[in-house]
Amino acid sequence: MGSPPTSMLFLHGYTSPGEPSHATLTQALSNAGVTADVYTPLAPAGDTRRDPFNPDGASSWFRYATDNSALVPQGVDYAELSDVYDVMYSPWVSHDASHASLWDQLTMLVDRDGAESVALVGESQGGVMAALLGMEWNRQHPENQLGWLGLVRTAPDPHTWQPRPANQQRTFTFDPQWDHVPPRYQTNFCVVLGADDPTYRTYTSIAALGPLLINNPVCNPEVAIHYDIDGNVVLRILPGVTHDSHEAEVFAALATSLTRGVRR
């Protein structure tokens, strides 16, 4: 197994910049014996982020193209892909601070530490964005894949597992009837879900991860989902945890998962 990450790019949830705090993240890592530089950019805010769910334009990585959360069974909401591409490849200003594009921020960490030492992590909507960004990185750099992708209380957008156009293009037509199975990645996936989370129900999150799990199996035996001791997905489902509760427990579980390293 490899060493724990030396840097982390963390993407916060929908309209919740600064949650969890930088101190909470670094303390969780320290308690698990991980010494890593943590970067916590704030998502764009203002008119470009106003929608029926966010009338004040608070920080969010993208607006939503659908509202399937109240369906029975619950459905995964689709991201507005024009927003996704803009924040992925273009700089922005949020809370009077300038931010390089997420792609450039990730590139900076990879150039400094090496891709195998970088953890890209997101919670809730930030997890959706992290999955889209991380898989795009791996597609464009198959020989230089990220060391870790951490997904916390979230469910990836279906576009995450689909091949997409080059970064200069901002449009993509998604055919839900066309399936694409991702390859086995070198990346180690750390997934932490709340068993009592009504925002991202566990069955919704696991279904959204389905294409990934075909060739990237779960490696921890307490979760009997395509279990393989040599798998590269750590999946933790925490009893009693909702979408907003047990912050310390959730990020302790994430930090511990990061110490498992990457099998190469």
Side-chain angles (χ1 to χ4, degrees), residues 85-103:
Y85 285 123
D86 282 343
V87 78
M88 190 179 292
Y89 295 115
S90 302
W92 73 91
V93 176
S94 187
H95 299 271
D96 298 322
S98 296
H99 296 276
S101 71
L102 288 178
W103 192 265

Side-chain angles (χ1 to χ4, degrees), residues 181-243:
V181 176
R184 173 65 179 253
Y185 292 112
Q186 294 179 338
T187 301
N188 194 48
F189 295 85
C190 304
V191 183
V192 181
L193 306 176
D196 297 322
D197 185 345
T199 303
Y200 290 99
R201 299 186 182 277
T202 52
Y203 67 77
T204 304
S205 297
I206 292 171
L209 288 166
L212 175 74
L213 298 178
I214 293 172
N215 289 322
N216 297 266
V218 173
C219 66
N220 46 320
E222 70 271 19
V223 181
I225 299 175
H226 195 33
Y227 166 68
D228 184 336
I229 194 171
D230 292 320
N232 60 328
V233 177
V234 181
L235 174 59
R236 302 286 305 279
I237 301 175
L238 305 182
V241 172
T242 68
H243 198 63

